[in-house]
Amino acid sequence: MNVQTLLYWVGIAAVAVNALAGVLDSRHKRMDLIGALMVGTATALGGGTVRDLLLDRPVFWVQDQTYLLAASLTGLVSFFIVRAFALQARLLLIPDAIGLALFSILGTQVALQSHAPWLVASLMGVTTGVVGGILRDILCNDVPSILLKGELYATAAWLGAISLIAMQAAGASSVLASSLAMALVLVVRLMAVRYHITLPAFGKDGCA
Amino acid sequence: MNVQTLLYWVGIAAVAVNALAGVLDSRHKRMDLIGALMVGTATALGGGTVRDLLLDRPVFWVQDQTYLLAASLTGLVSFFIVRAFALQARLLLIPDAIGLALFSILGTQVALQSHAPWLVASLMGVTTGVVGGILRDILCNDVPSILLKGELYATAAWLGAISLIAMQAAGASSVLASSLAMALVLVVRLMAVRYHITLPAFGKDGCA
Amino acid sequence: MNVQTLLYWVGIAAVAVNALAGVLDSRHKRMDLIGALMVGTATALGGGTVRDLLLDRPVFWVQDQTYLLAASLTGLVSFFIVRAFALQARLLLIPDAIGLALFSILGTQVALQSHAPWLVASLMGVTTGVVGGILRDILCNDVPSILLKGELYATAAWLGAISLIAMQAAGASSVLASSLAMALVLVVRLMAVRYHITLPAFGKDGCA
């Protein structure tokens, strides 16, 4: 199995993890099976979809429906598992961080291949990594959690994306730079959770 | 009048019904005339718009502004009717079910013509049928009602879409398959309302 | 400096004002630095993005990242200013009205150049002017303020857009028509604020 094939199947797995995360969130809102499926699918595919629309590329899951199959089958199974067991979102911490690393770095690569300028490419990486979760929270009528004060998430994605771009500009090979950048996203995210590292935020007194 | 022309005008009528439904919903939020118009228009045109963007086709109402005219004129008239009379959403049950049948089957046909794979095509049918209502609820800051436990709605659209695809794969003509599939959506939706048929859902105790 | 160059930099300035407005709004929700940045950027670039997607044009800030730089740097600076000082949204009234005038008239021009029909072109003007603010309110989990009863905002944008189209159809030069239409948007908006001019709206008793 070569690197391309490996990345493809890791990508499918990351889509599945995100679908599970979406279904998990929708349990707070009395959603039914198809509602939970739609939230799970939007969570799993939303980031890459928005990236592809902005870059004027064919939407990845419209071309290859394996992604949609993975998202909907995982969503289906997740619904019944989540209904039967009291799963905690915390369980998903590490799979979710791996998904974030993969999505954000692959998203940045896709944007660079589409000749997006560097700052745009780094934003496309963040978009691929976090917009699915934003869509999930909008569909559940919550303020998107990744916009609120919390352990570095979009920040980890952006640091990875920007360091990928810097390494490739400095002449590093695509495989090396991608691997290091994914590791960086993963380490920053997990360290931030472990040591409660947060960015400056608006204070509680500013609450509506 | 041939079938094509008939479908066109039924489509325009379905857009108008959806615009009325959007305005009806916006009355709960103190929206003004232009706010209600925008919610009505987004409800009426949102599903087909998202489908066209995902399939990388020209957006249907940008090409032919009859749809936009129908949505905004209906929205305008609806605003004053809704303000004067205490209309109940229940009145729209049958027109709305007809619109759902039409939108979801036409949306699936459009996706098949764009050579979308079968699962993607069925999702494009559901998208065309339900995304307008999801946008309406997001603009009104509600959890999208079609995601919550309720009488089969997105499910009816999906059953119609998937049976259309199966019938056409089995060699049925496009006109026959579309007619039967629309009838299926309509029957499933109305039976579900009549007999309170629902999907399994997350229970009340899971509420946030 | 010619007119084209002047408009370009006024456009960049309008993007910056919108980014500040987005950050200002996000302070009510305990967002952190990157959350506020993302809300500010979505507010600043959202309207033109949706317009470009609907018209099937390349997204303006993906082509030229000066817009994204302006939005994110302003967002960054705004975050610390907003955190330190109790800025009032009212301070932004006049810059915001100038931005609305500019965005809506430029958006209409872009749509006309893409050969959109007149009603669609006027809606694209309104979209460019107001969708950023709608996205901001959705991300902050509020009902979009411009849809609610208030001093003419989307209405001012639409009146400007439609009068631009009428003037150009009557043979006025693009520069003259655009200047008059921008002035109209500005005057209608500021007069509406000064004299509390509002559209008919759904009453308080209809509230959810």
Side-chain angles (χ1 to χ4, degrees), chain A residues 50-71:
Chain A
V50 170
R51 175 204 62 207
D52 288 343
L53 291 176
L54 292 173
L55 293 175
D56 202 11
R57 300 173 72 247
V59 175
F60 71 105
W61 56 269
V62 171
Q63 302 290 304
D64 174 0
Q65 70 179 358
T66 313
Y67 295 100
L68 183 55
L69 266 167

Side-chain angles (χ1 to χ4, degrees), chain C residues 13-179:
Chain C
V15 161
V17 168
N18 265 334
L20 169 55
V23 170
L24 203 53
D25 236 52
S26 69
R27 79 184 183 287
H28 298 297
K29 303 285 177 175
R30 298 199 71 188
M31 291 194 182
D32 67 7
L33 174 56
I34 202 161
L37 263 180
M38 289 169 80
V39 174
T41 304
T43 309
L45 307 178
T49 303
V50 170
R51 175 203 63 209
D52 288 343
L53 291 176
L54 291 173
L55 293 175
D56 202 11
R57 301 172 73 246
V59 175
F60 70 105
W61 54 270
V62 171
Q63 302 290 304
D64 174 1
Q65 72 179 358
T66 314
Y67 295 100
L68 183 55
L69 266 167
S72 42
L73 289 180
T74 312
L76 194 66
V77 174
S78 303
F79 177 80
F80 292 102
I81 293 180
V82 169
R83 229 166 58 123
F85 305 99
L87 278 192
Q88 296 302 315
R90 223 57 183 166
L91 273 182
L92 288 180
L93 182 64
I94 289 173
D96 182 82
I98 295 172
L100 177 69
L102 200 79
F103 276 24
S104 55
I105 299 311
L106 291 184
T108 310
Q109 289 286 18
V110 164
L112 290 174
Q113 278 155 25
S114 297
H115 307 291
W118 66 271
L119 188 63
V120 172
S122 72
L123 180 59
M124 290 299 107
V126 176
T127 298
T128 312
V130 311
V131 164
I134 292 180
L135 280 181
R136 177 198 61 206
D137 290 340
I138 289 175
L139 288 172
C140 291
N141 201 18
D142 296 319
V143 179
S145 58
I146 69 123
L147 300 176
L148 299 177
K149 182 165 182 159
E151 293 94 357
L152 310 181
Y153 194 87
T155 312
W158 188 74
L159 288 175
I162 208 76
S163 63
L164 171 74
I165 296 167
M167 284 187 282
Q168 293 197 177
S173 79
S174 167
V175 170
L176 176 70
S178 298
S179 312

Side-chain angles (χ1 to χ4, degrees), chain A residues 23-24 26-36 38-39 41 45 49 53 56-59 61-65 68-69 72 78-80 82-83 138-141, chain B residues 53-56 115-121 123-124 126 130-131 134 138 141-144 146-150 154-155 158 198-204 206-208:
Chain A
V23 170
L24 204 54
S26 69
R27 79 184 183 288
H28 298 298
K29 302 286 176 174
R30 299 200 71 188
M31 291 195 183
D32 68 7
L33 174 56
I34 202 161
M38 289 168 81
V39 174
T41 304
L45 307 178
T49 302
L53 291 176
D56 202 11
R57 300 173 72 247
V59 175
W61 56 269
V62 171
Q63 302 290 304
D64 174 0
Q65 70 179 358
L68 183 55
L69 266 167
S72 43
S78 303
F79 177 80
F80 293 103
V82 170
R83 230 166 57 124
I138 290 175
L139 288 172
C140 291
N141 201 18
Chain B
L53 291 176
L54 291 173
L55 294 174
D56 201 12
H115 307 290
W118 67 270
L119 189 63
V120 172
L123 180 59
M124 290 299 108
V126 177
V130 311
V131 165
I134 293 181
I138 289 175
N141 201 19
D142 297 318
V143 180
I146 69 123
L147 300 176
L148 298 177
K149 181 165 183 160
T155 312
W158 188 76
T198 57
L199 288 181
F202 290 122
K204 196 167 196 169
C207 267

